[in-house]
Amino acid sequence: MARVVPGATGAAFDPLKHSQPLGGALVFLGLARSIPLLHGAQGCTAFAKALLTRHFREPIPLQTTAVTEVTAVLGASDSVIAALDTITERNNPDVIGVLTTGMTEVNGEDLLGVLRTSLYAPRASGVPAQGHPLVVPVSTPDFRGGLSDGWAAALEALVGAVPAAGTTRAEQLAVLVGPSLSAVDLDEVAGLVRAFGLAPVLVPDLSGSLDGHLDEAWSPLTTGGTSVADLLGLGASGAVAAIGATAAGAGAVLAARAAAPLTAHDHLSGLAAVDRLVHALMDFGGVPAPEEVRRWRRRLADGLMDSHFVLGGARVALAGEPEQLVAVGSLLYDAGAEIVAAVSPTEAAVLERAPWDEVVVGDFVDLAERAAAAGAELVVASSRGREVANRIGAAHLAVGFPVYDRLGAQLRATAGYRGSLHLLVDAANCLLDYRSGRCAGSGREHSPTRSNKRYEELTC
């Protein structure tokens, strides 16, 4: 159990945190024919869109109600309805996620009340009226919490829009996921579920919308992801899986609504974490693990032993969203790495379940200071972490959000037996390059340390 402590200062000088609306928007970007609508100033949406575009290197459908200083004071209710009317008329989406921002939260905008008295009010059946999209309002104030909190709020709002079903599809498994899973990770999870004879419905499913595929024509909406029919049919699921601590709350709500068993997992990185999901799938499907699944498990077990000769004793510094921080850190810890610094942008219950000693809630300044003091050899963080790695003379492995100095961030696997193995190999190879003086992030020749002295002795 880790001890969660605040950073050295009360202010963020080099912020690690991203806003709640950004996390909420990512959830709606994982739905088919969907578009997130940020209820706030144009600048809030423009910044989020630029950041998402740099990370995914794809066009990002994102709209704004364009609240001005005048409407912020006099009331921006009309701006919401006008924006919904315009989007519906021009783009005809299936789903619109309306996300509040700090401006509209501070002025006391009653978003739910505005929608209840409009044509976009939810019906008792949960199914939107003919010709109207499913409109899901979410409270995501950007002056509180962070990306993970916005993701959790949006996912719970989506589940809240799911109507109760009269029948149950025993083979359907609702899979609610957190922000630590990449597009390729979601493919891995879906394949793993299908291997046990179950039919997965992933929410959100970024593997269909932001996986880097080339469409025949440009669309103002998402061109893949969870369909509105699958979303509204979640209440008929025979079981529910919450993959990621961020999805746990929504998983509990859906399981209660569908009267279905729930299996919840903090993350899906590492042998023990994936084993727990596989055992749950064996129970749900009533079949033993297929040979292909067992083979990838054996490969991961072998990879843990092989990478231990490189990662064992290596001093690693981590920074990222709570769920991903614990996922990546747990995997490297299992391989023998020493987690000398771990920084999260926000507090979360999952941080206390990290297997190392301490997690700091802070920013990149806290990461740099603690990593330098502990002599970190490897910094695992987003692209912003490269500056910290260069400053302290360490290797840098780009994992998290945003990654804009490397291609294929959405195609990097980190979960499941296969993804865990790939992440281990990436981390070990980065350290090998660093120790041989070829890692571009090191900035200097590496002097032997306790960990790589042992590696040299064992391999000579």
Side-chain angles (χ1 to χ4, degrees):
M1 298 290 287
R3 181 176 67 257
V4 181
V5 299
T9 63
F13 293 96
D14 191 1
L16 171 64
K17 183 169 68 173
H18 298 288
S19 69
Q20 278 206 59
L22 183 61
L26 276 168
V27 170
F28 288 100
L29 289 172
L31 307 180
R33 293 186 48 76
S34 170
I35 187 167
L37 173 64
L38 268 61
H39 184 30
Q42 284 182 308
C44 299
T45 304
F47 181 77
K49 188 166 187 171
L51 199 59
L52 290 167
T53 301
R54 291 186 74 190
H55 177 78
F56 291 104
R57 299 178 184 268
E58 300 293 334
I60 302 295
L62 199 61
Q63 286 291 344
T64 176
T65 56
V67 175
T68 66
E69 62 273 15
V70 175
T71 53
V73 174
L74 300 180
S77 302
D78 292 341
S79 299
V80 178
I81 303 303
L84 290 172
D85 288 342
T86 301
I87 294 172
T88 301
E89 180 182 350
R90 293 182 179 178
N91 304 325
N92 190 29
D94 289 343
V95 183
I96 301 177
V98 185
L99 306 156
T100 62
T101 60
M103 177 188 294
T104 49
E105 288 278 352
V106 167
N107 72 6
E109 194 78 36
D110 184 10
L111 182 59
L112 291 175
V114 170
L115 293 177
R116 284 196 196 100
T117 57
S118 72
L119 294 173
Y120 303 98
R123 301 199 300 178
S125 64
V127 180
Q130 184 69 27
H132 284 78
L134 174 65
V135 176
V136 182
V138 190
S139 175
T140 51
D142 49 17
F143 51 77
R144 182 174 63 236
L147 185 150
S148 294
D149 300 282
W151 182 293
L155 196 54
E156 288 189 36
L158 276 178
V159 168
V162 172
T167 59
T168 299
R169 294 181 58 198
E171 77 283 359
Q172 178 173 299
L173 177 66
V175 184
L176 308 183
V177 301
S180 65
L181 301 181
S182 67
V184 167
D185 288 333
L186 295 175
D187 282 337
E188 180 73 11
V189 171
L192 187 61
V193 173
R194 292 190 187 100
F196 290 86
L198 301 170
V201 178
L202 273 63
V203 184
D205 187 4
L206 293 172
S207 69
S209 56
L210 291 176
D211 58 334
H213 64 274
L214 187 63
D215 290 306
E216 294 182 359
W218 176 82
S219 171
L221 308 172
T222 54
T223 57
T226 311
S227 69
V228 69
D230 285 343
L231 180 66
L232 295 176
L234 287 177
S237 299
V240 179
I243 309 299
T246 311
V253 172
L254 180 59
R257 177 162 299 185
L262 169 69
T263 178
H265 307 265
D266 285 344
H267 59 84
L268 211 57
S269 295
L271 200 64
V274 186
D275 281 352
R276 284 191 288 271
L277 176 61
V278 168
H279 283 297
L281 294 176
M282 290 168 63
D283 290 339
F284 292 152
V287 295
E291 177 56 29
E292 183 181 3
V293 173
R294 295 175 182 272
R295 184 164 183 80
W296 273 107
R297 186 187 189 279
R298 291 194 293 268
R299 286 172 176 168
L300 175 57
D302 183 71
L304 281 165
M305 290 190 291
D306 292 343
S307 62
H308 175 74
F309 293 108
V310 181
L311 295 171
R315 295 183 294 276
V316 179
L318 309 169
E321 292 296 319
E323 178 185 310
Q324 188 156 53
L325 186 78
V326 175
V328 175
S330 297
L331 178 63
L332 298 178
Y333 183 87
D334 288 346
E338 182 184 352
I339 309 300
V340 296
V343 180
S344 168
T346 54
E347 292 188 38
V350 69
L351 296 176
E352 298 178 357
R353 297 191 287 275
W356 57 92
D357 294 334
E358 183 180 87
V359 177
V360 178
V361 178
D363 61 2
F364 279 109
V365 173
D366 294 296
L367 177 68
E369 291 177 350
R370 290 171 181 267
E377 303 170 76
L378 176 64
V379 174
V380 182
S382 68
S383 291
R384 299 270 322 285
R386 183 169 295 278
E387 298 176 11
V388 174
N390 288 340
R391 198 181 313 155
I392 68 173
H396 174 244
L397 182 62
V399 175
F401 178 86
V403 174
Y404 46 76
D405 60 346
R406 290 288 184 272
L407 294 175
Q410 68 274 29
L411 302 178
R412 165 170 273 169
T414 61
Y417 293 132
R418 188 181 335 211
S420 298
L421 178 58
H422 288 173
L423 182 56
L424 276 178
V425 171
D426 286 345
N429 284 338
C430 190
L431 264 180
L432 287 172
D433 285 342
Y434 166 72
R435 289 168 177 172
S436 64
R438 294 195 302 269
C439 187
S442 65
R444 59 174 171 82
E445 290 290 328
H446 171 67
S447 57
T449 63
R450 173 176 57 85
S451 59
N452 80 302
K453 277 180 180 178
R454 184 169 71 243
Y455 169 76
E456 290 167 356
E457 292 169 358
L458 291 170
T459 57
C460 62

